[in-house]
Amino acid sequence: MSDATDPPRLLDPAAGTPELGRYMREASELAPTDADAARLEAKLGPIFDGPAGAGDPGGDGPMPAGAESPLGAAGQGGILASSTGWTIGMATLVVVAAVATWAIGREDPASEGTAEEPRHHEPARDQPKASDDSISSQARSAEAETPPGPALRQVGSRERTPRPRRRRDTSGVTGAPATTPSAGVPNELSLIRAAQDALSRDPGRALTLTEEHASLHPAGELAQEREVIAIDALARLGRWQAAQRRAARLERSYPGSPHLRRVHRVFERMTEAQDRAQGGPP
Amino acid sequence: MTHAEKLSGSEVLVRGRPTTRQVFRENLGYVWRALRHLGVPESDLDDVVQEVFIVVHRKLPTWEGRSSIRTWLYGISIRTASVYRRKAYRRRERPTEDLPEASHHPQQAHSGETRHGMRKLDEALRALDEDKRTVFVLYEIEQMTMREVAEVVECPLPTAFSRLYAARRQIAESLGLPLPSGRSA
């Protein structure tokens, strides 16, 4: 089908490009096999059998915004899990931290559940859950080029089993002297802010600050922000492999994190820089 | 005849609006091929195809039929492929998957020549930027009209033409083949 203004297609013999035409013809004849089609339909059958419009718990965007992506962490569930950007993410985390601090400050046992509840990022349905050990192991190998950071907390399911109540340690340093709740969060926040501020003009300094944060607040509320800044800093420093490995670890630990969008932008930038360096397309 | 073709036809439309399963059976080949040429390696094709049809299932009740369903599907496929490609570091971690090893061809066995040709074309397509590649694939391979292409990629028609001609030049150059005069720009 063509409009009158459309130019002849390359596969049109009349176009006089037999070689290009052959490529186009072969490309246009590619198709999944019957077995492929049957396999895909079997996988999607349960979704098709559900009510249309409810096949995915996502929002209104063109991509499913839920975490039930068949791509798992690599898919849209990971990439577009939320339209929340960096700023909103930061603000949310600060609010969560403030609520936690307030709850602990009150020493109200009824508030402990709220204060203790970590930020949950729903893992993708098909995303295998790595154990803490495996993450630590990956962290060890991944950080060959970088000073080792703490293992990220693995996300869990929202369906939690009851846990014994305990006081939240906002310092995040096991066995360390307890910091006052009101002092712990601002320190953490100021470090992350300083690292973020340093990122564009002095990525080395930003990386150092993230390492400082990691040592002071290994399981802090802003651990994800720290990792994103560290990844960005590594990329800016040209330590791309280290950045890639650290990003993979972050994505594995927080498959639905809104911060992954920023990480992806970092890698887009990195890819473009590499292409330019190699004389590729702009 | 493919699975999709066998199941397509008058049975597909029910009271003017197809079900997701019918859309799937009718259009799987288009979606699969478009994703394949838009840079999704074969190893991930199943997952990305599923992703497209999950979106289709969710959005189908809102499809108003102002464009053809194929145009609508391509829009979803392009955005899904784009999201997939943005994960550059994932590709770089598994560079051997950049080039699909095999493709399915309904009419003929995978001759070495065909496979080699498709790999060369894959490389040439991958060298294009996203905008040009999409226009090229939709027009030259999927044989949409330029008006439809412009609608899918949401750009003015002259821009779509400009991208097509630039893509043609680049593809011909990458494959070491000449373009007929007067058709490359």
Side-chain angles (χ1 to χ4, degrees), chain A residues 12-114:
Chain A
D12 182 351
T17 55
E19 281 294 309
L20 277 171
R22 186 173 57 80
Y23 279 110
M24 297 305 115
R25 197 162 41 254
E26 287 174 357
S28 66
E29 287 174 353
L30 287 176
T33 62
D34 285 1
D36 289 334
R39 190 182 62 249
L40 279 163
E41 187 167 349
K43 283 182 184 173
L44 286 162
I47 293 169
F48 293 165
D49 291 339
D56 182 88
D60 294 332
M63 301 299 174
E68 298 194 8
S69 159
L71 291 178
Q76 293 150 8
I79 296 166
L80 295 179
S82 167
S83 59
T84 310
W86 162 254
T87 307
I88 296 173
M90 281 284 281
T92 306
L93 288 165
V94 170
V95 169
V96 169
V99 169
T101 305
W102 172 78
I104 292 165
R106 289 179 63 206
E107 295 193 355
D108 177 0
S111 302
E112 283 191 354
T114 306

Side-chain angles (χ1 to χ4, degrees), chain A residues 204-273:
Chain A
R205 168 76 180 147
L207 190 59
T208 303
L209 286 166
T210 60
E211 285 158 8
E212 192 178 332
H213 178 276
S215 65
L216 291 173
H217 308 282
E221 291 290 343
L222 302 176
Q224 289 185 67
E225 287 75 4
R226 173 189 72 218
E227 290 304 304
V228 174
I229 293 169
I231 289 161
D232 201 339
L234 286 166
R236 287 170 191 265
L237 291 167
R239 296 167 65 180
W240 292 340
Q241 285 187 337
Q244 285 168 2
R245 287 195 294 259
R246 200 152 175 172
R249 183 159 60 105
L250 176 69
E251 186 154 355
R252 205 174 294 118
S253 300
Y254 301 96
S257 172
H259 300 290
L260 293 175
R261 293 188 75 186
R262 184 178 168 200
V263 173
H264 298 154
R265 283 198 295 274
V266 168
F267 282 97
E268 274 180 54
R269 204 177 60 223
M270 205 167 85
T271 305
E272 286 166 7

Side-chain angles (χ1 to χ4, degrees), chain A residues 3-205:
Chain A
D3 283 346
T5 55
D6 288 351
R9 290 189 169 83
L10 296 178
L11 59 67
D12 182 351
T17 55
E19 281 294 309
L20 277 171
R22 186 173 57 80
Y23 279 110
M24 297 305 115
R25 197 162 41 254
E26 287 174 357
S28 66
E29 287 174 353
L30 287 176
T33 62
D34 285 1
D36 289 334
R39 190 182 62 249
L40 279 163
E41 187 167 349
K43 283 182 184 173
L44 286 162
I47 293 169
F48 293 165
D49 291 339
D56 182 88
D60 294 332
M63 301 299 174
E68 298 194 8
S69 159
L71 291 178
Q76 293 150 8
I79 296 166
L80 295 179
S82 167
S83 59
T84 310
W86 162 254
T87 307
I88 296 173
M90 281 284 281
T92 306
L93 288 165
V94 170
V95 169
V96 169
V99 169
T101 305
W102 172 78
I104 292 165
R106 289 179 63 206
E107 295 193 355
D108 177 0
S111 302
E112 283 191 354
T114 306
E116 190 170 318
E117 181 146 7
R119 288 162 298 148
H120 287 288
H121 297 280
E122 199 73 38
R125 182 169 46 194
D126 296 336
Q127 180 72 8
K129 290 180 184 175
S131 68
D132 287 343
D133 285 345
S134 70
I135 291 173
S136 299
S137 159
Q138 285 154 356
R140 279 193 293 276
S141 60
E143 291 304 308
E145 289 187 31
T146 57
L152 295 171
R153 285 180 297 168
Q154 174 64 22
V155 293
S157 165
R158 286 184 189 277
E159 294 171 11
R160 294 178 301 139
T161 52
R163 291 176 294 177
R165 290 181 174 180
R166 59 182 169 78
R167 181 71 59 85
R168 183 185 183 84
D169 176 10
T170 53
S171 74
V173 183
T174 307
T179 56
T180 61
S182 60
V185 174
N187 283 344
E188 193 183 350
L189 188 58
S190 61
L191 270 174
I192 293 297
R193 274 186 179 157
Q196 177 63 38
D197 290 346
L199 191 56
S200 56
R201 65 175 189 281
D202 188 353
R205 168 76 180 147

Side-chain angles (χ1 to χ4, degrees), chain B:
Chain B
M1 181 179 285
T2 67
H3 177 79
E5 285 164 347
K6 273 185 252 175
L7 294 165
S8 66
S10 58
E11 70 178 85
V12 168
L13 288 175
V14 176
R15 291 177 189 168
R17 184 181 293 276
T19 65
T20 315
R21 191 184 294 275
Q22 288 163 340
V23 172
F24 171 85
R25 290 176 175 179
E26 176 76 357
N27 297 285
L28 172 63
Y30 296 134
V31 169
W32 188 94
R33 187 169 51 244
L35 292 172
R36 168 75 172 67
H37 291 306
L38 291 171
V40 178
E42 195 131 323
S43 57
D44 291 334
L45 210 44
D46 269 18
D47 283 345
V48 184
V49 167
Q50 285 183 69
E51 194 77 15
V52 167
F53 282 102
I54 287 172
V55 178
V56 168
H57 187 64
R58 182 162 61 84
K59 304 288 279 183
L60 192 57
T62 66
W63 176 62
E64 295 174 347
R66 280 183 297 202
S67 60
S68 73
I69 198 144
R70 196 173 158 203
T71 304
W72 182 69
L73 280 171
Y74 277 131
I76 294 172
S77 302
I78 287 164
R79 286 189 289 274
T80 307
S82 174
V83 169
Y84 174 84
R85 280 197 307 272
R86 269 187 241 139
K87 294 185 60 63
Y89 66 91
R90 187 162 177 269
R91 294 203 307 274
R92 285 171 193 282
E93 282 183 336
R94 297 188 296 168
T96 54
E97 293 191 5
D98 276 351
L99 290 176
E101 284 300 320
S103 298
H104 304 291
H105 200 287
Q107 276 97 34
Q108 64 184 64
H110 299 168
S111 69
E113 193 184 352
T114 299
R115 198 160 52 234
H116 179 67
M118 285 302 96
R119 285 171 68 87
K120 280 178 73 178
L121 182 62
D122 282 335
E123 284 176 27
L125 286 170
R126 205 169 57 238
L128 295 175
D129 67 38
E130 188 173 329
D131 291 338
K132 293 192 193 85
R133 171 161 51 183
T134 303
V135 169
F136 185 87
V137 167
L138 294 184
Y139 186 73
E140 300 290 2
I141 298 174
E142 295 305 324
Q143 299 178 47
M144 298 177 80
T145 66
M146 282 305 286
R147 199 168 295 281
E148 287 174 322
V149 171
E151 185 184 337
V152 171
V153 302
E154 297 174 338
C155 76
L157 192 55
T159 306
F161 274 110
S162 158
R163 289 176 187 172
L164 174 69
Y165 293 136
R168 282 180 167 187
R169 275 198 304 274
Q170 236 178 292
I171 290 281
E173 214 173 277
S174 297
L175 295 173
L177 297 169
L179 271 178
S181 58
R183 223 183 297 281
S184 61

